Amino acid sequence: MTMNVPHSMDSSGRRKLWLGWFVLCLAVVAVHATSMDRHPPVTQDEVQIVELGRAALQPDTDWSMVWNIAEERTAVPLSYVGKVFQEWAYQATQPSHLGTRITALFWAVLAATAVLGWLQARGAPPWAALALAFACLTDPMFTDIFRAGRIDGAAFAACLGACWLIRAAGQVSETRARRVRLVAAGGLLTLSPFLWTSVVLLFPLVLVELGHGLIGVAQRGKHGYVSTALSAGWPFVAACAGASALLLLPVWLYAPGLLEGMATLSAVQARAAAIQSPVYQLFLVYSPLVFCAALLGLLWRREWPLLIALAASLWLTYQTMVYPARVIYLLPYLWAIIAGACQVVARQGLQPALARVPVYLLGALVAWNAITVLVLRPLPLWRAEPSDTASLVYEAYRDTIGPGPHRVLLEDWSSYYAARQLGWKVYRAGTPVSLDNYQDFMSTLDYVIVHRQPLYDTTRELVREAGYSLIATTDSYTDGKAALEIYRVEKGP
């Protein structure tokens, strides 16, 4: 088995590396900070994350945008930790949703920092680790995710941070220092699915790192091979068990709802998996150079445990809905492949010219990401006039319905923040429900707000059968192409 030895750097070199990384992060944050409040528009994922965070903090709430109509309660998320952070972030900046996007950007920076440390611990040359960490922070697909307020970056940071610590633990000979790193790694790994559950797609990678670390310790041990590996691994297992018990405790009372919600989600993902595009097509559309660089990197180095882990992650991906927010979890495998190719080049020197190909590919990847994300995408946003759509929607709702605890069925996700500002109790079905239950539920509401072109053809018919009449129509999006219809129930004298 080939052992990856980190490239040695003196303290001055390490300071320069991390100072350079800090400057790069500041530059990326500065670019995004100029437009995150207005682009992209509010998305379903962003609203669901914030709302599930509110529900986790208020499990006895009597309203929710992820409402279980049959059970008359809100959904209970497993990944409640990350969602609670987003709810706190919204509360810090409300009525603006800027706080949720600032925290998403923070998690992305933290994730890219974990990539830098992890790749260095894997033995990548410092320049390659720095370039790939920057490629992570400026990856077009990853950028779309965190700019929309999603918190995949938090799960990335925790899981890749665990990989970093596991590698670091395998490289120290002092028992106590190794155990501290493994305990921290176990805690971070256990925390990761409580931040975002899609992170399980990175668990095969963690197994590769754990196996590498334990084998390295066992090879250096003075006792039996197996006994040494087991002795070294128990702090990690104990930390995982302890952290699991601690993190599951807050949702223990709501376990039935949690299991039901996970079963429903699994069924939806399984149905959607049958109609999704191949993963490589998404990479070619959003991040073509990272995909091509990883494929060519295999010509220089093939780390079979890593490739087996990638195959396992691909299999898991195809058991769910395949879309960009899922495919980004394959990126760390590709970064590791590219880093491995650069490691071979660094050891063999940069001659002949063919040996420099991985370096050229990495440079092209960094340039492509930087130009796309930091130049081409922001330019139209800098030139555009600030949008006042959010305030217009708020004013329309205030004038037609007004503030107060009105019970409102809200089909439009982008109206969520205006509804909270007005103090409404807003609902949207979060689980499948029978038509009879849905009609009974609608009879308990005061208002219904739906798109002029609703998602389902039967929506407007159901609204009118429930006794609602149209009272107003308002624009909902900056492009003005979609409008909302506001209905009020006629409850009689």
Side-chain angles (χ1 to χ4, degrees), residues 387-402 410 412-419 421-422 424 449 473-478 482-484 486:
S387 172
D388 59 352
T389 302
S391 60
L392 291 176
V393 170
Y394 167 78
E395 291 170 4
Y397 289 162
R398 181 196 59 195
D399 295 342
T400 54
I401 297 179
L410 187 61
D412 180 52
W413 294 99
S414 66
S415 299
Y416 172 79
Y417 295 117
Q421 188 179 356
L422 289 165
W424 295 355
I449 299 177
T473 301
T474 180
D475 290 333
S476 175
Y477 299 109
T478 54
L484 297 174
I486 304 175

Side-chain angles (χ1 to χ4, degrees), residues 243-291:
S244 296
L246 185 64
L247 290 166
L248 284 171
L249 187 60
V251 296
W252 184 257
L253 295 177
Y254 301 92
L258 174 64
L259 294 175
E260 178 185 338
M262 291 180 66
T264 300
L265 178 61
S266 297
V268 171
Q269 294 287 354
R271 288 196 298 269
I275 58 174
Q276 298 307 307
S277 300
V279 166
Y280 75 87
Q281 289 185 0
L282 292 175
F283 275 117
L284 292 178
V285 170
Y286 290 93
S287 303
L289 281 183
V290 70
F291 181 75

Side-chain angles (χ1 to χ4, degrees), residues 14 27 35 94 108 124 133-134 179 204 242 260 298 310 313 328 390 432 437 440 483 490:
R14 285 192 293 271
S35 60
Q94 63 180 335
F134 184 70
R179 287 178 177 175
E260 178 185 338
L298 294 174
L310 173 58
S313 186
I328 60 170
N437 284 346
D440 291 342
E490 300 297 336

